[in-house]
Every structure is written in structure tokens, then in C-alpha cells.
Amino acid sequence: MTEPSAVAAAYLRAKTAGFGYSSEPLAGQLLATLSAAVRPGGRILELGTGAGAGLAWISHGLGDRRDVQVVSVECDEDLAAAVRDAGLPDRFEVLTGDAEALLPDLGTFDLIFADAPAGKWTGLDLTIAALADGGVLFVDDMDPGRYTEPEHVAIVAGIRRTLVEHDDLVTTDLPVGSGFILAVRR
Ligand SMILES: C[S@@+](CC[C@H](N)C(=O)[O-])C[C@H]1O[C@@H](n2cnc3c(N)ncnc32)[C@H](O)[C@@H]1O
């Protein structure tokens, strides 16, 4: 997949802001593909907006569709404002706040990209609860080899275990990129 112009703009925005945590293109391509598969009238949630690369990939996946609502949550007010100021497609919104605090009131989603510590490293149960029936949860950065601190390796192992052993989820490891896991609510 060639890099869409909105994605290139988001990577440039990240570079300019000195933000080094944007999703890699492989994760973005998967996110775009999963977004394209969201049911008509569905909802997508991203935890951790960053500089907007994930949103740009989601927008690429949705193309001209305007039936899908997209919500992204970012705790850093400057990052959130920069992404809003750059212009969001219709039905996209960036909420400023702590993902774990906001999650219980956001409703359910057909696709969740959990890309912040909140809602993944902590509060994963809240994210799982926000997954609609048939909904897809995508987490990246799951390759334990990325982490040097034993505590971080243990947290990543705990996330994987929670998803794999959850009675209501069907989960698969994709050992590519930063280490992807997809979990679908039955
Ligand atoms: C890996 S970056 C997100 C990258 C973005 N999703 C992308 O695809 O390029 C993680 C983001 O989560 C944000 N974050 C950290 N703690 C958070 C929290 N408690 N609630 C919401 N966002 C948080 C950080 O400020 C950072 O922008």
C-alpha cells in the first residue's frame, strides 16, 4: 500500500513536533484494512491519538464512507489540538482526556485500536468491555523483545494472556512489525 497523503502529513506533523511514537506503516495498513471492514453505521475507537497517524490510516481505510463514527482519545492537549487543527474528516472527533477515565462512557465499538498505556497496560478490561459483538480489538507493540525492563515484559505477557484466555474473545498473534494481536468478541 502506498502512503496516503494524509498519512504522510501526519508523519510530518509528528516529526515537526518531535513526537516519536506514531504507528509504523505496517500497523497503519492493517488499521486501514480493518477500518474498511467495519459494518455499515459502525463505530471505531482509537486510544492515544498521538500526531494523528492512526486516524489518517483509518480515514484512508474508510475512503468516502461517512456512515462510520470515529472517536480518538488523547490526554495531551497540545497533540489533540494539533490534530484537530490539521482538519478532521466528517464524523471524526478527538477527545482530550484520560482514556481509562473516559472509556466507561464512550459506548461500544466495532473496531478498537488500543494504542495508549491506558486501556491496554492498565484498564484493559474497560477496553474489552467497550468491544461490540463481532468487534475487533487491535493492539500493537506486543513483541516482548522490544522491552528491556522485566516489568514491561511481564505487562505485555499479561496483556497477551488476558486476550488469549478471555472466554468471549477469539484471539490471534501476528508476529510481524512491532508485534500485533487481534482479538474479536464472539
Ligand atoms: C503510541 S502513541 C499513539 C500513536 C497513534 N495512535 C498513531 O497511530 O500514530 C500513544 C499516545 O497515547 C497518549 N496517552 C498516554 N497516556 C494516555 C492516557 N492515559 N489517555 C489518553 N492518551 C494517552 C500519548 O500522549 C501518546 O500520544
Side-chain angles (χ1 to χ4, degrees), residues 8-98:
Y11 286 142
L12 181 60
R13 190 161 57 241
K15 190 175 176 189
T16 306
F19 180 78
Y21 303 103
S22 293
S23 292
E24 59 184 320
L26 191 61
Q29 288 168 19
L30 179 55
L31 187 58
T33 304
L34 294 171
S35 298
V38 165
R39 69 174 175 86
R43 302 181 76 215
I44 298 174
L45 174 66
E46 178 187 54
L47 302 178
T49 311
L55 284 179
W57 281 111
I58 290 168
S59 173
H60 178 65
L62 291 175
D64 292 335
R65 289 181 63 181
R66 292 294 175 262
D67 60 304
V68 175
Q69 183 189 13
V70 180
V71 178
S72 184
V73 180
E74 172 57 54
C75 68
D76 183 312
E77 294 190 8
D78 292 338
L79 283 172
V83 174
R84 284 190 209 103
D85 290 349
L88 291 169
D90 290 348
R91 309 215 62 206
F92 279 53
E93 66 177 327
V94 174
L95 306 178
T96 307
D98 172 56

